[in-house]
Amino acid sequence: MLAVRTVRRKLRMGTICSPNPSGTKTSAEVCNADWMASLSPHLHNVPLSNLAIPGSHDSFSYWVDEKSPVGPDQTPAIKRLARISLVKKLMKKWSVTQNLTFREQLEAGIRYFDLRVSSKPGDTDQEIYFIHGLFGIKVWDGLMEIDSFLTQHPQEIIFLDFNHFYAMDEAHHKRLILQIQEAFGNKLCSACSVESMTLQTLWEKKWQVLIFYHCPFYKQYPFLWPGKKIPAPWANTTSVRKLILFLETTLSERAPQGSFHVSQAILTPQAKTIARGLVGGLKNTLVHRNLPAILDWVKTQKPGAMGVNIITSDFVDLVDFATTVIELNDLLQEDRDLTKC
């Protein structure tokens, strides 16, 4: 079985999205751009809720604007401190949770995107931006980047999880939803039974985008899925041991039907963490040294109705995260082969 999995991996990863002069493949360059299309035919009719799918945490935060106002997701005390230019530079070190752009994440195999959005103080055009402490790129620009990839890879399916909204009134929500419609059009998947969402079904309907909208406005649009259909329990800890215990516990409590499930394999800095590693930032202080241990936990998992589904990480390029998650789907094929025997 190990030999079969190795062959599958080589077939799936036979190209490099962004070749470098040395000809070697780094974790950021290994191309999983068509991994869903490359899955075994047996898995085409398995509900997406039973597959292992790699995702990113604060997916848009590969770039934040330290020259912009501090976001409305921050406390008044932070906003006052941020009047000092150095404070914003330090905030940036703790706001950035990814290195790769949307396109690069998609090419690496990421299919779930954790999205937080906000209007910007002083803007009169009702523009919507991604936000994590500081403002990121315009949501419209991100959606267009994603749509361009999907057009070139028509069998890849993505999850866009709009789970935090800041400083947004009804007009802002309508603008955002209109942008989603304009960006993806017929690629948008209607909200229906989770168990009916298989690759085969989506391919037949030419649907590629599942939008989850954690706000009552979802009731007004057939292509918006309610946030309760994609729970993402949060450990809120700096301890790898506590994180893994939390992930195991929440997986054991996962509903076997009716929803997807996000395992947030992330560590969250506390105030004292930031104070101790103020200049180092999130990546150097917390993520870099702990991510290999978290990846070891991922390697022990198995997808299925009561197993892992979507797994998210910070800085998905620092280790072979996406490929490790994708390869868990080979275990479903191995179960089928054993049953045949």
Side-chain angles (χ1 to χ4, degrees):
M1 283 302 168
L2 180 59
V4 172
R5 291 178 67 185
T6 302
V7 169
R8 287 184 188 138
R9 176 176 179 174
K10 290 180 177 178
L11 287 173
R12 183 167 56 234
M13 296 164 44
T15 59
I16 303 178
C17 297
S18 304
N20 63 41
S22 68
T24 60
K25 298 181 184 181
T26 69
S27 60
E29 291 173 332
V30 168
C31 190
N32 285 315
D34 292 292
W35 72 263
M36 287 181 160
S38 302
L39 286 177
S40 165
H42 166 63
L43 300 179
H44 295 176
N45 290 303
V46 172
L48 292 179
S49 57
N50 290 6
L51 295 180
I53 298 170
S56 55
H57 171 240
D58 281 316
S59 309
F60 51 86
S61 66
Y62 51 86
W63 182 84
V64 292
D65 184 5
E66 63 187 69
K67 296 179 181 179
S68 73
V70 173
D73 59 335
Q74 297 300 297
T75 64
I78 294 294
K79 291 177 182 178
R80 287 193 296 272
L81 281 172
R83 294 170 185 167
I84 305 169
S85 60
L86 176 62
V87 172
K88 282 191 181 178
K89 292 182 183 297
L90 295 174
M91 281 185 68
K92 184 175 181 178
K93 289 179 176 288
W94 290 92
S95 294
V96 171
T97 67
Q98 302 296 334
N99 289 324
L100 305 182
T101 65
F102 280 127
R103 177 83 191 199
E104 290 167 340
Q105 290 182 48
L106 286 160
E107 289 176 342
I110 299 301
R111 293 294 177 267
Y112 166 91
F113 296 88
D114 165 31
L115 307 175
R116 298 129 196 260
V117 298
S118 176
S119 66
K120 185 181 289 188
D123 265 16
T124 57
D125 58 0
Q126 296 185 328
E127 192 61 73
I128 311 298
Y129 296 81
F130 294 115
I131 190 163
H132 189 220
L134 298 170
F135 286 93
I137 66 172
K138 293 179 180 179
V139 171
W140 173 252
D141 293 339
L143 298 181
M144 294 306 294
E145 185 176 359
I146 293 169
D147 182 65
S148 173
F149 172 87
L150 293 174
T151 299
Q152 295 169 11
H153 303 271
Q155 289 186 294
E156 299 306 297
I157 313 300
I158 65 163
F159 299 72
L160 299 185
D161 190 2
F162 289 87
N163 50 53
H164 287 73
F165 303 93
Y166 300 97
M168 288 181 59
D169 56 23
E170 183 175 353
H172 289 113
H173 279 283
K174 287 184 176 179
R175 179 180 176 87
L176 173 57
I177 294 168
L178 179 61
Q179 288 183 339
I180 291 170
Q181 285 180 291
E182 290 180 348
F184 300 118
N186 293 333
K187 295 185 181 79
L188 291 167
C189 172
S190 296
C192 51
S193 163
V194 169
E195 281 65 47
S196 69
M197 292 294 97
T198 68
L199 289 172
Q200 190 62 47
T201 298
L202 290 163
W203 291 342
E204 289 172 359
K205 296 179 180 292
K206 301 188 185 304
W207 288 343
Q208 291 181 267
V209 184
L210 283 74
I211 304 286
F212 296 85
Y213 210 79
H214 296 242
C215 179
F217 281 100
Y218 80 84
K219 298 175 183 178
Q220 302 177 26
Y221 301 88
F223 57 86
L224 296 182
W225 292 65
K228 65 182 180 181
K229 292 291 186 181
I230 194 160
W234 175 42
N236 192 18
T237 181
T238 58
S239 163
V240 174
R241 181 185 62 80
K242 291 180 180 178
L243 170 65
I244 291 174
L245 177 61
F246 178 85
L247 293 171
E248 296 282 3
T249 301
T250 51
L251 275 173
S252 70
E253 298 169 347
R254 178 188 173 186
Q257 290 186 323
S259 67
F260 300 95
H261 183 87
V262 180
S263 296
Q264 294 198 68
I266 61 169
L267 296 174
T268 303
Q270 309 300 315
K272 62 181 180 180
T273 317
I274 296 173
R276 290 171 182 167
L278 191 61
V279 178
L282 178 68
K283 180 167 64 174
N284 295 327
T285 303
L286 198 58
V287 177
H288 203 280
R289 60 191 174 89
N290 290 309
L291 201 52
I294 295 173
L295 191 69
D296 285 342
W297 175 82
V298 173
K299 291 175 181 177
T300 67
Q301 299 308 297
K302 184 177 178 180
M306 294 302 292
V308 291
N309 179 203
I310 297 163
I311 308 177
T312 62
S313 175
D314 289 323
F315 298 103
V316 296
D317 60 308
L318 292 186
V319 292
D320 209 3
F321 172 74
T323 297
T324 300
V325 176
I326 294 166
E327 287 187 341
L328 296 178
N329 292 302
D330 292 340
L331 298 173
L332 297 174
Q333 177 65 26
E334 289 175 14
D335 278 355
R336 179 171 182 262
D337 294 341
L338 289 172
T339 301
K340 284 183 177 180
C341 295

